[in-house]
Amino acid sequence: MVVAATGFFDGVHAGHRAVLQVLKDTAREEGEESAVVTFWPHPRNVLQQDASSFRLLNTIDEKKALIRAFGIDQIHVIPFTRDFSQLSTTEFMREYLVDRFRVDTLIIGYDHRLGRSSTASREELAAIAAGVGLRTRIVEEVHCDDRKVSSTQIRNLLAAGDVCSAGQMLGYRYTLHGVVVSGNMLGRTLGFPTANMQLYEPLKVVPADGVYAVGVEVLGQRFGGMCNIGTRPTVDKGNARTIETHIFDFHDDIYGLDIRIDFVGRIRDERCFPSVGELRSQMTRDSLTARHMLASC
């Protein structure tokens, strides 16, 4: 038999990890397998609840990797469709958890939602679970600096550029993953060549416009760097938003190759400078700040 937790688990943040810890501990106590039953794509994208602006903290592969790294035995991804959204909580528990995945114990988090009964309290969910033969354990909410940890809170922090607080709630540095594409080469003329990133998953949250200290993974190695997110108002009058990273002490040609950046700290807002020369001077100061942040973390 199986002990399971269900949910979207976007971010696999500290609150999710509390649920996963209870899940793993309970499975070990019961001598059973641990399982996460999750969904893809996000219900808000399928049901068109602000789908045009809604963004995610993890790709499906990132989410699965984080859950596996926590030591969970099984991960089941259910395709979320409009038909699936019409299942009642009882139907979901019976048809999927009990019959399909052989679950006998369900771990319920603080903001657990299942089936059409999305407003049901944890106690009501426990009662429904008991009705289909499931035991339950309830996990209390997790706080960070007196704020409740949630995927929504983390998205809001990233939208404000507060990558440090977002990382504290996640339990790891927030990451973007993509491919290096050609840019206008201006960074090279300024003495700060940059890797222009095109995201593999366009629905991922991109932190607020600004300059950040980042860790960089490329060519199987790790480097430090600084990343500018924004529209480059000093040199580009267009509205295209770019993610450009200057990699410290690195000179290889990496166009077309894989790149991953993780956010260490925010340096400043993006702004328009009176001249390219003043922009270059600011970038020199930014690089020193970024190196200091990276050395301190």
CSV table of all heavy atoms in Angstrom, one decimal, residues 154-195:
chain,number,residue,atom,x,y,z
A,154,ILE,N,5.5,33.6,-3.0
A,154,ILE,CA,6.8,33.6,-3.6
A,154,ILE,C,6.7,34.3,-5.0
A,154,ILE,O,7.6,35.0,-5.4
A,154,ILE,CB,7.3,32.1,-3.8
A,154,ILE,CG1,7.5,31.6,-2.4
A,154,ILE,CG2,8.5,32.1,-4.6
A,154,ILE,CD1,7.7,30.1,-2.3
A,155,ARG,N,5.6,34.0,-5.7
A,155,ARG,CA,5.5,34.7,-7.0
A,155,ARG,C,5.4,36.2,-6.8
A,155,ARG,O,6.0,37.0,-7.6
A,155,ARG,CB,4.2,34.3,-7.7
A,155,ARG,CG,4.2,32.8,-8.2
A,155,ARG,CD,2.9,32.5,-9.0
A,155,ARG,NE,2.7,31.1,-9.1
A,155,ARG,CZ,1.8,30.4,-8.4
A,155,ARG,NH1,0.9,31.0,-7.6
A,155,ARG,NH2,1.7,29.1,-8.5
A,156,ASN,N,4.7,36.7,-5.8
A,156,ASN,CA,4.7,38.1,-5.5
A,156,ASN,C,6.1,38.7,-5.2
A,156,ASN,O,6.4,39.8,-5.6
A,156,ASN,CB,3.7,38.4,-4.4
A,156,ASN,CG,2.3,38.1,-4.8
A,156,ASN,OD1,1.9,38.1,-5.9
A,156,ASN,ND2,1.4,37.9,-3.8
A,157,LEU,N,6.8,37.9,-4.4
A,157,LEU,CA,8.2,38.4,-4.0
A,157,LEU,C,9.1,38.5,-5.3
A,157,LEU,O,9.8,39.5,-5.4
A,157,LEU,CB,8.8,37.4,-3.0
A,157,LEU,CG,8.2,37.4,-1.6
A,157,LEU,CD1,8.7,36.3,-0.8
A,157,LEU,CD2,8.6,38.8,-0.9
A,158,LEU,N,9.0,37.5,-6.1
A,158,LEU,CA,9.8,37.6,-7.4
A,158,LEU,C,9.3,38.7,-8.3
A,158,LEU,O,10.2,39.4,-8.9
A,158,LEU,CB,9.7,36.3,-8.1
A,158,LEU,CG,10.3,35.1,-7.5
A,158,LEU,CD1,10.0,33.8,-8.2
A,158,LEU,CD2,11.9,35.2,-7.4
A,159,ALA,N,8.0,39.0,-8.3
A,159,ALA,CA,7.5,40.1,-9.1
A,159,ALA,C,8.0,41.4,-8.6
A,159,ALA,O,8.1,42.4,-9.3
A,159,ALA,CB,6.0,40.1,-9.1
A,160,ALA,N,8.3,41.5,-7.3
A,160,ALA,CA,8.9,42.7,-6.6
A,160,ALA,C,10.4,42.7,-6.7
A,160,ALA,O,11.0,43.7,-6.2
A,160,ALA,CB,8.4,42.8,-5.2
A,161,GLY,N,11.0,41.7,-7.2
A,161,GLY,CA,12.5,41.6,-7.3
A,161,GLY,C,13.2,41.1,-6.0
A,161,GLY,O,14.4,41.1,-5.9
A,162,ASP,N,12.4,40.7,-5.0
A,162,ASP,CA,13.0,40.2,-3.8
A,162,ASP,C,13.3,38.8,-3.9
A,162,ASP,O,12.7,37.9,-3.3
A,162,ASP,CB,12.0,40.5,-2.6
A,162,ASP,CG,12.6,40.3,-1.2
A,162,ASP,OD1,13.7,39.8,-1.2
A,162,ASP,OD2,11.9,40.6,-0.2
A,163,VAL,N,14.4,38.5,-4.6
A,163,VAL,CA,14.8,37.1,-4.8
A,163,VAL,C,15.4,36.5,-3.6
A,163,VAL,O,15.3,35.2,-3.4
A,163,VAL,CB,15.9,37.1,-6.0
A,163,VAL,CG1,15.2,37.5,-7.3
A,163,VAL,CG2,17.1,37.9,-5.7
A,164,CYS,N,15.9,37.3,-2.6
A,164,CYS,CA,16.4,36.7,-1.4
A,164,CYS,C,15.3,36.1,-0.6
A,164,CYS,O,15.4,34.9,-0.1
A,164,CYS,CB,17.2,37.7,-0.6
A,164,CYS,SG,18.8,38.2,-1.3
A,165,SER,N,14.2,36.9,-0.3
A,165,SER,CA,13.1,36.4,0.5
A,165,SER,C,12.4,35.2,-0.3
A,165,SER,O,12.0,34.2,0.4
A,165,SER,CB,12.1,37.5,0.7
A,165,SER,OG,12.7,38.5,1.5
A,166,ALA,N,12.3,35.3,-1.6
A,166,ALA,CA,11.8,34.2,-2.3
A,166,ALA,C,12.6,32.9,-2.2
A,166,ALA,O,12.0,31.8,-2.0
A,166,ALA,CB,11.7,34.5,-3.8
A,167,GLY,N,13.9,33.0,-2.2
A,167,GLY,CA,14.8,31.9,-2.0
A,167,GLY,C,14.6,31.3,-0.6
A,167,GLY,O,14.7,30.1,-0.4
A,168,GLN,N,14.4,32.2,0.4
A,168,GLN,CA,14.3,31.6,1.8
A,168,GLN,C,13.0,30.8,1.9
A,168,GLN,O,13.0,29.8,2.5
A,168,GLN,CB,14.2,32.8,2.7
A,168,GLN,CG,15.6,33.5,2.9
A,168,GLN,CD,15.4,34.8,3.8
A,168,GLN,OE1,14.4,35.2,4.1
A,168,GLN,NE2,16.6,35.4,4.0
A,169,MET,N,11.9,31.3,1.2
A,169,MET,CA,10.7,30.5,1.2
A,169,MET,C,10.8,29.2,0.4
A,169,MET,O,10.2,28.2,0.8
A,169,MET,CB,9.5,31.4,0.7
A,169,MET,CG,9.1,32.4,1.7
A,169,MET,SD,7.4,33.1,1.3
A,169,MET,CE,7.2,34.2,2.6
A,170,LEU,N,11.5,29.3,-0.7
A,170,LEU,CA,11.6,28.1,-1.5
A,170,LEU,C,12.5,27.1,-0.8
A,170,LEU,O,12.3,25.9,-1.0
A,170,LEU,CB,12.3,28.5,-2.9
A,170,LEU,CG,11.3,29.2,-3.9
A,170,LEU,CD1,12.2,29.8,-5.0
A,170,LEU,CD2,10.3,28.2,-4.4
A,171,GLY,N,13.6,27.6,-0.1
A,171,GLY,CA,14.6,26.6,0.4
A,171,GLY,C,15.7,26.4,-0.5
A,171,GLY,O,16.6,25.6,-0.3
A,172,TYR,N,15.7,27.2,-1.6
A,172,TYR,CA,16.8,27.1,-2.6
A,172,TYR,C,16.7,28.4,-3.5
A,172,TYR,O,15.7,29.1,-3.5
A,172,TYR,CB,16.7,25.9,-3.5
A,172,TYR,CG,15.4,25.7,-4.3
A,172,TYR,CD1,15.2,26.3,-5.5
A,172,TYR,CD2,14.3,25.1,-3.7
A,172,TYR,CE1,14.0,26.2,-6.2
A,172,TYR,CE2,13.1,25.0,-4.4
A,172,TYR,CZ,12.9,25.6,-5.6
A,172,TYR,OH,11.7,25.5,-6.3
A,173,ARG,N,17.8,28.7,-4.2
A,173,ARG,CA,17.8,29.9,-5.1
A,173,ARG,C,16.8,29.7,-6.3
A,173,ARG,O,16.8,28.6,-6.9
A,173,ARG,CB,19.2,30.2,-5.6
A,173,ARG,CG,20.1,30.6,-4.5
A,173,ARG,CD,21.5,30.8,-5.1
A,173,ARG,NE,22.6,31.0,-4.2
A,173,ARG,CZ,23.8,30.9,-4.4
A,173,ARG,NH1,24.3,30.6,-5.7
A,173,ARG,NH2,24.7,31.2,-3.5
A,174,TYR,N,16.1,30.7,-6.6
A,174,TYR,CA,15.2,30.6,-7.7
A,174,TYR,C,16.0,30.6,-9.0
A,174,TYR,O,17.0,31.3,-9.1
A,174,TYR,CB,14.2,31.8,-7.8
A,174,TYR,CG,13.2,31.7,-8.9
A,174,TYR,CD1,12.2,30.7,-8.8
A,174,TYR,CD2,13.3,32.6,-10.0
A,174,TYR,CE1,11.3,30.6,-9.9
A,174,TYR,CE2,12.3,32.4,-11.0
A,174,TYR,CZ,11.4,31.5,-10.9
A,174,TYR,OH,10.5,31.3,-12.0
A,175,THR,N,15.6,29.8,-10.0
A,175,THR,CA,16.4,29.5,-11.2
A,175,THR,C,15.6,29.7,-12.5
A,175,THR,O,14.4,29.4,-12.5
A,175,THR,CB,16.8,28.0,-11.1
A,175,THR,OG1,17.6,27.8,-9.9
A,175,THR,CG2,17.6,27.6,-12.3
A,176,LEU,N,16.3,30.1,-13.5
A,176,LEU,CA,15.8,30.2,-14.8
A,176,LEU,C,16.7,29.4,-15.7
A,176,LEU,O,17.9,29.3,-15.5
A,176,LEU,CB,15.8,31.6,-15.4
A,176,LEU,CG,14.8,32.6,-14.7
A,176,LEU,CD1,15.0,34.0,-15.3
A,176,LEU,CD2,13.4,32.2,-14.8
A,177,HIS,N,16.1,28.7,-16.7
A,177,HIS,CA,16.8,27.8,-17.5
A,177,HIS,C,16.5,28.0,-19.0
A,177,HIS,O,15.3,28.2,-19.3
A,177,HIS,CB,16.4,26.3,-17.2
A,177,HIS,CG,17.2,25.3,-17.8
A,177,HIS,ND1,16.8,24.0,-17.9
A,177,HIS,CD2,18.4,25.3,-18.4
A,177,HIS,CE1,17.7,23.2,-18.6
A,177,HIS,NE2,18.7,24.0,-18.9
A,178,GLY,N,17.5,28.1,-19.9
A,178,GLY,CA,17.2,28.4,-21.3
A,178,GLY,C,18.3,28.1,-22.2
A,178,GLY,O,19.3,27.5,-21.8
A,179,VAL,N,18.3,28.7,-23.4
A,179,VAL,CA,19.3,28.6,-24.4
A,179,VAL,C,19.8,30.0,-24.7
A,179,VAL,O,19.1,31.0,-24.7
A,179,VAL,CB,18.7,27.9,-25.6
A,179,VAL,CG1,17.6,28.7,-26.3
A,179,VAL,CG2,19.8,27.6,-26.7
A,180,VAL,N,21.1,30.0,-25.0
A,180,VAL,CA,21.8,31.3,-25.3
A,180,VAL,C,21.5,31.6,-26.8
A,180,VAL,O,21.8,30.8,-27.7
A,180,VAL,CB,23.3,31.3,-25.1
A,180,VAL,CG1,23.9,32.6,-25.5
A,180,VAL,CG2,23.6,30.9,-23.6
A,181,VAL,N,20.9,32.8,-27.0
A,181,VAL,CA,20.6,33.3,-28.4
A,181,VAL,C,21.3,34.5,-28.7
A,181,VAL,O,21.8,35.2,-27.8
A,181,VAL,CB,19.1,33.5,-28.5
A,181,VAL,CG1,18.3,32.2,-28.3
A,181,VAL,CG2,18.6,34.6,-27.5
A,182,SER,N,21.4,34.9,-29.9
A,182,SER,CA,22.2,36.1,-30.3
A,182,SER,C,21.5,37.3,-29.9
A,182,SER,O,20.3,37.4,-29.9
A,182,SER,CB,22.5,36.1,-31.8
A,182,SER,OG,21.2,36.1,-32.5
A,183,GLY,N,22.3,38.3,-29.5
A,183,GLY,CA,21.7,39.7,-29.2
A,183,GLY,C,22.3,40.7,-30.1
A,183,GLY,O,22.8,40.4,-31.2
A,184,ASN,N,22.4,42.0,-29.6
A,184,ASN,CA,22.9,43.1,-30.4
A,184,ASN,C,24.4,43.3,-30.2
A,184,ASN,O,24.9,44.2,-30.8
A,184,ASN,CB,22.1,44.4,-30.2
A,184,ASN,CG,22.2,44.8,-28.7
A,184,ASN,OD1,23.0,44.3,-28.0
A,184,ASN,ND2,21.5,45.9,-28.4
A,185,MET,N,25.0,42.5,-29.4
A,185,MET,CA,26.5,42.5,-29.2
A,185,MET,C,26.9,43.8,-28.5
A,185,MET,O,28.1,44.1,-28.4
A,185,MET,CB,27.2,42.4,-30.5
A,185,MET,CG,26.9,41.2,-31.3
A,185,MET,SD,27.5,39.7,-30.5
A,185,MET,CE,27.1,38.5,-31.8
A,186,LEU,N,26.0,44.6,-28.0
A,186,LEU,CA,26.4,45.9,-27.3
A,186,LEU,C,27.2,45.6,-26.1
A,186,LEU,O,28.2,46.4,-25.8
A,186,LEU,CB,25.2,46.7,-27.0
A,186,LEU,CG,25.5,48.1,-26.4
A,186,LEU,CD1,26.2,49.0,-27.4
A,186,LEU,CD2,24.2,48.8,-25.9
A,187,GLY,N,26.9,44.6,-25.3
A,187,GLY,CA,27.6,44.3,-24.1
A,187,GLY,C,29.1,44.1,-24.3
A,187,GLY,O,29.9,44.6,-23.5
A,188,ARG,N,29.4,43.5,-25.5
A,188,ARG,CA,30.8,43.3,-25.8
A,188,ARG,C,31.6,44.6,-26.0
A,188,ARG,O,32.7,44.8,-25.6
A,188,ARG,CB,30.9,42.4,-27.1
A,188,ARG,CG,32.3,41.8,-27.3
A,188,ARG,CD,32.2,40.9,-28.5
A,188,ARG,NE,31.3,39.8,-28.3
A,188,ARG,CZ,31.6,38.7,-27.6
A,188,ARG,NH1,32.8,38.5,-27.1
A,188,ARG,NH2,30.7,37.8,-27.4
A,189,THR,N,30.9,45.6,-26.7
A,189,THR,CA,31.5,46.9,-26.9
A,189,THR,C,31.7,47.6,-25.6
A,189,THR,O,32.6,48.5,-25.5
A,189,THR,CB,30.7,47.7,-27.9
A,189,THR,OG1,29.5,48.0,-27.4
A,189,THR,CG2,30.5,46.9,-29.2
A,190,LEU,N,30.9,47.4,-24.6
A,190,LEU,CA,31.0,48.0,-23.3
A,190,LEU,C,32.0,47.3,-22.4
A,190,LEU,O,32.3,47.8,-21.3
A,190,LEU,CB,29.6,48.0,-22.6
A,190,LEU,CG,28.5,48.9,-23.3
A,190,LEU,CD1,27.2,48.6,-22.6
A,190,LEU,CD2,28.9,50.4,-23.2
A,191,GLY,N,32.5,46.2,-22.9
A,191,GLY,CA,33.5,45.5,-22.0
A,191,GLY,C,32.8,44.5,-21.1
A,191,GLY,O,33.4,43.9,-20.2
A,192,PHE,N,31.5,44.2,-21.3
A,192,PHE,CA,30.7,43.3,-20.5
A,192,PHE,C,29.9,42.4,-21.5
A,192,PHE,O,28.7,42.6,-21.6
A,192,PHE,CB,29.8,44.0,-19.5
A,192,PHE,CG,30.5,44.8,-18.5
A,192,PHE,CD1,30.9,46.1,-18.6
A,192,PHE,CD2,30.9,44.1,-17.3
A,192,PHE,CE1,31.6,46.8,-17.6
A,192,PHE,CE2,31.6,44.8,-16.3
A,192,PHE,CZ,31.9,46.1,-16.5
A,193,PRO,N,30.5,41.5,-22.2
A,193,PRO,CA,29.7,40.6,-23.1
A,193,PRO,C,28.7,39.8,-22.3
A,193,PRO,O,29.0,39.4,-21.2
A,193,PRO,CB,30.8,39.7,-23.7
A,193,PRO,CG,31.9,39.7,-22.7
A,193,PRO,CD,31.9,41.1,-22.1
A,194,THR,N,27.5,39.6,-22.9
A,194,THR,CA,26.4,39.0,-22.2
A,194,THR,C,25.9,37.8,-23.0
A,194,THR,O,25.9,37.8,-24.2
A,194,THR,CB,25.3,40.0,-21.9
A,194,THR,OG1,24.8,40.5,-23.1
A,194,THR,CG2,25.7,41.1,-21.0
A,195,ALA,N,25.4,36.8,-22.2
A,195,ALA,CA,24.6,35.7,-22.8
A,195,ALA,C,23.1,36.1,-22.7
A,195,ALA,O,22.6,36.2,-21.6
A,195,ALA,CB,24.9,34.4,-22.0
